[in-house]
């Protein structure tokens, strides 16, 4: 049995798509119970479609996909990312989804799934945290039943990518991030501090592209994404569950700035001082990755699909 039962809460998004593929390629370590989608990089209709396009590409129409929130908690219109193309997957030719979305709302699914497997589920938000915040607001009794939250978002010790201080996922819905990250759930953060180190280049993609038609599509998406050397932000979350020794970080306490001012979406982390070793902290913030090992593992896993 895989040690990690996960729900991936995502806004595909090219790097979200690679995170889904990495999870599907790693059944010994990861049981992907379901995918929930949220508005983020692109609108909700696109993220719900894209998650199913990726599952269809991998022949995994058995993964239930639930659509969630179409806007952040306090704004009628969400902010979008420009780096994932109009459709969210780099406008690459991909199969259309050949299975239906689940009818249940993602928020209700999260609540139901967490109660049904109390203490067992790792939540992996790799987009804005609106769905998870709403689930906690609707039913606060789920918080202590979540095993851990392993998320991509924030920038603790480096500049942001949506503002000088804020990373995209947190910037889009800082109110949701505040609700989720202050809910007392054990949490591990993969922010820009570490994910900006997970850059890939065209030599790497050239080799991967040859492996299979699936990887030809996946590499085409990655080539379309971001600047010349795209970053694998979201796959870091899954990579850590597979092989935690790839990453290292610091313990601390986090708070999110949720006022719509220059600090909007800033993730403020107070690192635990060494001489206070016994102090309780509320987050592990990843700061370093062994990039050669990460890229080797990713290539090896994706080649299995
Ligand atoms: C995050 O923002 C999105 O564009 C990516 O999918 C990733 O989750 C990086 O800041
Ligand atoms: Ca994402």
């Amino acid at each position: 049995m895989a040690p990690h039962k996960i729900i991936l809460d995502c806004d595909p998004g090219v790097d979200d798509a690679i995170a889904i593929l990495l999870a599907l390629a790693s059944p010994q370590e990861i049981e992907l119970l379901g995918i929930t989608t949220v508005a983020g990089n692109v609108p909700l209709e696109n993220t719900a479609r894209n998650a199913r396009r990726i599952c269809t590409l991998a022949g995994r129409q058995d993964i239930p996909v639930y659509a969630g929130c179409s806007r952040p908690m306090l704004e009628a219109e969400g902010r979008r990312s420009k780096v994932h193309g109009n459709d969210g997957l780099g406008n690459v030719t991909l199969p259309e989804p050949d299975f239906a979305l689940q009818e249940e709302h993602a928020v209700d699914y999260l609540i139901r799934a967490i109660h049904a497997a109390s203490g067992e589920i790792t939540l992996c938000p790799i987009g804005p945290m609106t769905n998870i915040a709403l689930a906690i607001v609707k039913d606060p009794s789920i918080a202590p039943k979540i095993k851990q939250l392993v998320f991509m978002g924030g920038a603790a010790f480096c500049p942001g990518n949506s503002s000088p201080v804020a990373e995209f996922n947190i910037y889009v819905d800082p109110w949701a991030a505040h609700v989720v990250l202050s809910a007392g759930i054990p949490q591990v953060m993969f922010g820009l501090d570490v994910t900006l180190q997970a850059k890939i280049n065209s030599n790497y993609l050239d080799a991967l592209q040859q492996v299979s038609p699936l990887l030809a599509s996946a590499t085409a998406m990655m080539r379309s994404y971001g600047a010349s050397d795209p970053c694998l932000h979201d796959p870091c979350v899954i990579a850590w569950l597979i092989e935690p020794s790839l990453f290292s970080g610091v313990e601390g306490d986090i708070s999110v700035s949720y006022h719509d001012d220059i600090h909007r979406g800033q993730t403020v982390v107070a690192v635990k001082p060494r001489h206070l070793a016994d102090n309780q902290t509320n987050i592990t913030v990843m700061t370093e990755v062994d990039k050669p090992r990460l890229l080797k593992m990713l290539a090896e896993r994706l080649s299995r699909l």
Side-chain angles (χ1 to χ4, degrees):
M1 217 172 56
H4 300 292
K5 283 186 201 307
I6 76 165
I7 298 174
L8 203 45
D9 185 62
C10 59
D11 61 338
V14 170
D15 58 330
D16 303 73
I18 304 303
I20 294 171
L21 292 173
L22 180 57
L24 293 176
S26 307
Q28 288 94 338
E29 294 88 1
I30 290 174
E31 182 183 353
L32 181 55
L33 299 177
I35 297 175
T36 51
T37 70
V38 67
N41 287 316
V42 284
L44 181 68
E45 304 75 60
N46 296 63
T47 61
R49 171 174 172 251
N50 289 346
R52 288 177 298 134
R53 288 166 88 195
I54 295 303
C55 290
T56 302
L57 178 72
R60 292 300 304 272
Q61 295 87 337
D62 58 306
I63 304 289
V65 177
Y66 301 81
C69 298
S70 60
R71 48 161 276 191
M73 291 176 76
L74 297 192
E75 285 179 340
E77 267 300 304
R79 321 277 170 122
R80 307 282 171 235
S81 169
K82 294 192 178 73
V83 296
H84 301 263
N86 289 340
D87 72 342
L89 294 180
N91 302 318
V92 168
T93 304
L94 291 168
E96 280 307 307
D98 59 3
F99 66 109
L101 258 182
Q102 298 290 315
E103 282 177 15
E104 189 176 22
H105 192 280
V107 169
D108 295 316
Y109 165 66
L110 284 164
I111 293 170
R112 180 169 64 80
I114 292 162
H115 281 304
S118 181
E120 293 180 27
I121 294 182
T122 295
L123 289 187
C124 300
I126 54 176
M129 296 190 191
T130 323
N131 289 338
I132 295 170
L134 266 286
I136 291 170
V137 170
K138 186 171 182 186
D139 183 354
S141 75
I142 63 170
K145 297 185 173 182
I146 297 167
K147 181 180 174 188
Q148 59 181 344
L149 186 86
V150 186
F151 68 97
M152 191 284 137
F157 312 115
C158 68
N161 59 3
S162 282
S163 83
V165 297
E167 179 280 331
F168 178 80
N169 291 339
I170 309 293
Y171 186 84
V172 170
D173 197 342
W175 310 285
H178 167 68
V179 168
V180 174
L181 300 183
S182 63
I185 306 162
Q187 47 204 3
V188 184
M189 168 172 156
F190 289 82
L192 297 179
D193 311 284
V194 65
T195 66
L196 284 174
Q197 297 167 38
K199 273 194 174 30
I200 43 176
N201 61 30
S202 52
N203 290 343
Y204 180 75
L205 293 175
D206 288 347
L208 213 50
Q209 182 181 346
Q210 312 299 329
V211 174
S212 66
L214 183 148
L215 283 184
S217 300
T219 52
M221 284 190 273
M222 288 190 264
R223 278 187 211 284
S224 76
Y225 163 59
S228 53
D229 293 343
C231 285
L232 296 168
H233 302 284
D234 294 339
C236 287
V237 164
I238 305 299
W240 179 74
L241 291 172
I242 297 169
E243 185 47 72
S245 71
L246 291 171
F247 298 90
S248 59
V250 296
E251 303 296 316
D253 284 298
I254 191 168
S255 70
V256 179
S257 300
Y258 55 88
H259 297 293
D260 191 14
D261 58 19
I262 58 165
H263 297 290
R264 173 182 170 147
Q266 185 168 7
T267 42
V268 179
V269 173
V271 175
K272 178 172 73 176
R274 281 178 210 278
H275 67 285
L276 297 179
D278 292 338
N279 265 25
Q280 285 285 340
T281 52
N282 73 9
I283 197 158
T284 302
V285 178
M286 291 303 175
T287 54
E288 302 288 336
V289 60
D290 184 337
K291 178 177 156 179
R293 275 178 67 217
L294 171 73
L295 296 192
K296 186 163 176 263
M297 188 263 264
L298 181 74
E300 188 271 316
R301 294 294 168 127
L302 295 182
S303 302
R304 296 178 184 180
L305 289 172

